[in-house]
Amino acid sequence: QYCMPAEGVQLTAQPNLLKTDEVIRLAELFVKEGVTKIRLTGGEPTIRKDLVDIIASLKQIDGLESVAITTNGLMLTRQLVALQRAGLDVLNVSLDTLRPARYEQVTRRKGFERVMAGIDLALQLDYNPVKVNCVLMRGFNDDEICDFVQLTEDRNLDVRFIEYMPFTGNKWNDEKMVSYKEMVQTLKARWPEFHPLSNGPNDTSKAYKVPNFKGQVGFITSMSEHFCGSCNRLRITADGNLKVCLFGNAEVSLRDAMRSGCSEDDLLALIGGAVRRKKKQHADQKPACSFHQMPEWKNEQIARISNIQHAWEQSLLLHLPNIMNNNFRRLELRGFCSQTDKTLTHTDEKGRATMVDVGNKDVTTRIAIAQAEVRVGAHIMSLIEQNTMKKGDVLTTAQLAGITAAKRTSELIPLCHNISLSHVNVDLKLDKENHTVVITSTARCEGRTGVEMEALTAVAVSALTVYDMCKAVSHDIVISEVRLLFKTGGVRGEFRRQ
């Protein structure tokens, strides 16, 4: 009842769910980047027909130390032996009551005896301990807390009490929540020697034990004492969306990125951008610290950039009427090109556009850095920072768009060479004082021609993506200061903007 509305939810169409090979590809990617444990949850993971195959494939990934599942336990008596043979390491069972009638009420189905039989089977198969997750709710099952702990006397169970948390549709109110401290007081009144155990740095559960009991108890204090600062968990939904926080609305579609042909580097950039914006506490709460940091720029540099931008905007406003009313503007520009065609590299002797032949140039390391700014206003800046824009994660989407654009510059700009980039990065920072998104891109290659166009294309398309993601809120968004900051590797030497 606490995580599924009574009317149910609209089911996701099968083609929109991650396929088996997509699950494994993402798993391999995350493990390569340092993930050591993968848990398959739900919904209910045992309804996937390929669950055994997925677990078997996960266990083949070098570097993955543990594969776990969290299940309602209804299918364990049928499936657990096969899951263990496939390599399942850890088992969590969700069980909120030890009373059959109450079980049927909270789960809206029968099956309590099957769940208990599944737990006993797991113990026989040496899953030690079997973890039992219990959401304690005042007025519903808080009178069973001692009964659950009593289970650990002769069973190697790790019973973890989870504080009741708000989810859409569960009619949450704080009066239903039983806090961690209140639970401990209740249990100490029954077992005075009930005491805490040591915990690891990233454990989400505070471990306790009754002396001489075979099992132990844990408390997941998501509401009263959040552990977000030490949380090292990421979640991927069944349809392939990455969530860095269970409470956050923002999701990044890794499924769409994979199916659109994104490379491993693109996926890593997409994931990295989302992880860097992981909050220090639950996404629906006020941030505990300032999220905005701009290590590359000192305050006086930001102020100088802002002043230059403001002056440029004022100049444009003054001259715009004259530009718009000048019927000969286009002719003047074409005439300017005609008079200087001898100094331009992309025209032939007749003034026609042509691509430069770089075949005789030396292969050198080419690096370029470009930047652009998007002034969005205070309201949009707040939505971006809190990651609550309806279209999704603005910064991560813009980052991926910029990286993709850099690699396809020659398809967008006709006379650019098709360059094999060895590195491209797009970084977006929030200048909250000036309500501006500052976009910086770096492009590098080993080649015969420079990469400034790739760097400039990256920031330009990234800026346009910021605009697209935010235009539903306001059209008062200004893209400006698209410029090259640094370039090296060519015959003309180094360029560095002062």
Side-chain angles (χ1 to χ4, degrees):
Q1 288 183 352
Y2 53 78
C3 64
M4 176 69 76
E7 64 274 13
V9 296
Q10 183 175 355
L11 298 179
T12 303
Q14 190 69 28
N16 294 333
L17 298 177
L18 287 178
K19 301 174 183 177
T20 307
D21 60 329
E22 291 173 329
V23 173
I24 303 306
R25 182 187 176 190
L26 287 177
E28 291 173 339
L29 185 66
F30 278 93
V31 172
K32 184 178 179 181
E33 293 301 307
V35 168
T36 58
K37 178 179 180 179
I38 291 178
R39 176 180 299 282
L40 305 171
T41 62
E44 175 50 45
T46 59
I47 66 173
R48 277 196 67 137
K49 296 179 180 179
D50 57 352
L51 179 61
V52 172
D53 294 332
I54 288 176
I55 292 174
S57 297
L58 290 176
K59 291 298 292 183
Q60 299 301 312
I61 301 176
D62 186 33
L64 182 60
E65 298 173 3
S66 174
V67 176
I69 67 167
T70 297
T71 172
N72 60 27
L74 286 170
M75 300 295 291
L76 287 179
T77 54
R78 297 184 185 179
Q79 296 186 4
L80 188 54
V81 172
L83 296 175
Q84 186 182 52
R85 287 175 179 167
L88 180 67
D89 298 300
V90 180
L91 177 66
N92 285 51
V93 179
S94 300
L95 181 65
D96 299 313
T97 178
L98 299 175
R99 303 177 186 179
R102 187 175 284 181
Y103 175 90
E104 185 174 349
Q105 179 185 352
V106 72
T107 65
R108 305 189 182 102
R109 60 172 59 84
K110 297 181 183 294
F112 171 75
E113 290 80 8
R114 286 167 58 191
V115 176
M116 292 303 297
I119 292 174
D120 288 336
L121 175 61
L123 292 171
Q124 293 172 28
L125 294 175
D126 292 326
Y127 281 100
N128 291 311
V130 175
K131 298 179 179 180
V132 176
N133 297 339
C134 173
V135 176
L136 213 63
M137 294 164 278
R138 193 182 308 280
F140 179 75
N141 64 346
D142 55 331
D143 57 340
E144 295 186 63
I145 184 170
C146 291
D147 297 337
F148 271 98
V149 175
Q150 192 68 52
L151 284 177
T152 69
E153 182 176 15
D154 56 3
R155 292 179 174 92
N156 191 7
L157 300 176
D158 182 1
V159 176
R160 288 115 62 84
F161 295 108
I162 303 173
E163 290 180 339
Y164 184 55
M165 296 178 286
F167 285 93
T168 303
N170 72 351
K171 301 176 182 177
W172 185 87
N173 66 74
D174 55 8
E175 294 179 357
K176 288 185 179 181
M177 192 192 83
V178 182
S179 71
Y180 149 62
K181 291 183 178 179
E182 184 179 345
M183 296 184 216
V184 171
Q185 289 175 353
T186 299
L187 295 174
K188 280 194 171 184
R190 171 75 176 272
W191 293 283
E193 301 301 318
F194 185 66
H195 64 275
L197 304 174
S198 60
N199 298 291
N202 300 115
D203 287 349
T204 58
S205 176
K206 295 177 172 64
Y208 278 73
K209 187 177 181 66
V210 177
N212 301 318
F213 275 28
K214 198 169 184 179
Q216 66 181 53
V217 178
F219 302 92
I220 299 178
T221 61
S222 305
M223 302 305 295
S224 65
E225 295 183 16
H226 75 80
F227 41 81
C228 303
S230 62
C231 175
N232 62 349
R233 301 184 176 200
L234 302 170
R235 290 173 174 83
I236 300 176
T237 61
D239 56 354
N241 286 325
L242 174 66
K243 292 173 70 76
V244 298
C245 176
L246 182 62
F247 286 87
N249 291 324
E251 298 180 353
V252 178
S253 179
L254 302 182
R255 177 203 65 198
D256 291 349
M258 286 191 297
R259 294 182 183 179
S260 65
C262 277
S263 67
E264 182 176 305
D265 288 342
D266 292 338
L267 288 170
L268 288 175
L270 187 63
I271 294 165
V275 172
R276 282 192 294 273
R277 282 182 281 281
K278 184 175 171 69
K279 302 293 184 180
K280 198 172 183 179
Q281 67 184 66
H282 291 320
D284 62 341
Q285 298 179 1
K286 186 177 180 180
C289 65
S290 175
F291 173 65
H292 168 60
Q293 295 180 341
M294 296 187 68
E296 289 84 355
W297 299 96
K298 297 179 180 179
N299 290 334
E300 58 268 24
Q301 290 175 305
I302 297 173
R304 185 165 69 251
I305 292 171
S306 176
N307 291 336
I308 293 171
Q309 175 186 348
H310 178 72
W312 183 87
E313 290 166 357
Q314 293 303 313
S315 174
L316 179 61
L317 290 173
L318 289 172
H319 291 92
L320 189 58
N322 295 329
I323 294 173
M324 294 298 290
N325 292 328
N326 190 343
N327 293 329
F328 299 99
R329 185 67 178 173
R330 183 177 179 185
L331 290 175
E332 290 172 358
L333 289 175
R334 288 179 64 86
F336 176 79
C337 293
S338 175
Q339 294 167 8
T340 59
D341 58 4
K342 293 181 181 179
T343 63
L344 295 180
T345 59
H346 285 70
T347 58
D348 61 16
E349 64 277 2
K350 296 182 179 180
R352 296 174 300 192
T354 184
M355 180 178 284
V356 173
D357 184 356
V358 297
N360 294 325
K361 291 187 177 182
D362 294 332
V363 175
T364 60
T365 299
R366 313 280 183 141
I367 301 173
I369 302 174
Q371 195 169 82
E373 298 176 13
V374 187
R375 184 160 53 82
V376 296
H379 179 50
I380 291 179
M381 175 62 65
S382 176
L383 294 176
I384 293 175
E385 184 188 19
Q386 297 172 21
N387 207 359
T388 54
M389 195 70 69
K390 288 185 177 180
K391 277 194 171 184
D393 189 333
V394 175
L395 300 183
T396 299
T397 305
Q399 181 190 43
L400 183 62
I403 292 172
T404 303
K407 295 189 292 185
R408 304 184 70 171
T409 299
S410 63
E411 299 177 33
L412 300 172
I413 303 175
L415 300 185
C416 283
H417 293 82
N418 185 5
I419 297 175
S420 178
L421 294 172
S422 60
H423 172 75
V424 59
N425 182 59
V426 177
D427 189 38
L428 293 92
K429 301 291 185 183
L430 302 183
D431 177 4
K432 292 194 290 186
E433 182 178 352
N434 297 294
H435 308 140
T436 298
V437 181
V438 181
I439 307 169
T440 307
S441 71
T442 302
R444 183 170 66 242
C445 81
E446 301 290 329
R448 302 179 189 275
T449 187
V451 289
E452 65 265 36
M453 291 307 300
E454 284 69 21
L456 287 164
T457 300
V459 295
V461 172
S462 183
L464 288 169
T465 304
V466 172
Y467 181 94
D468 179 62
M469 297 285 286
C470 302
K471 66 184 180 182
V473 178
S474 171
H475 287 97
D476 189 16
I477 301 171
V478 177
I479 298 174
S480 65
E481 295 296 312
V482 179
R483 60 202 184 278
L484 182 67
L485 297 182
F486 175 81
K487 174 184 180 293
T488 189
V491 294
R492 286 181 289 175
E494 180 181 294
F495 166 82
R496 187 183 299 271
R497 187 175 299 277
Q498 299 300 318

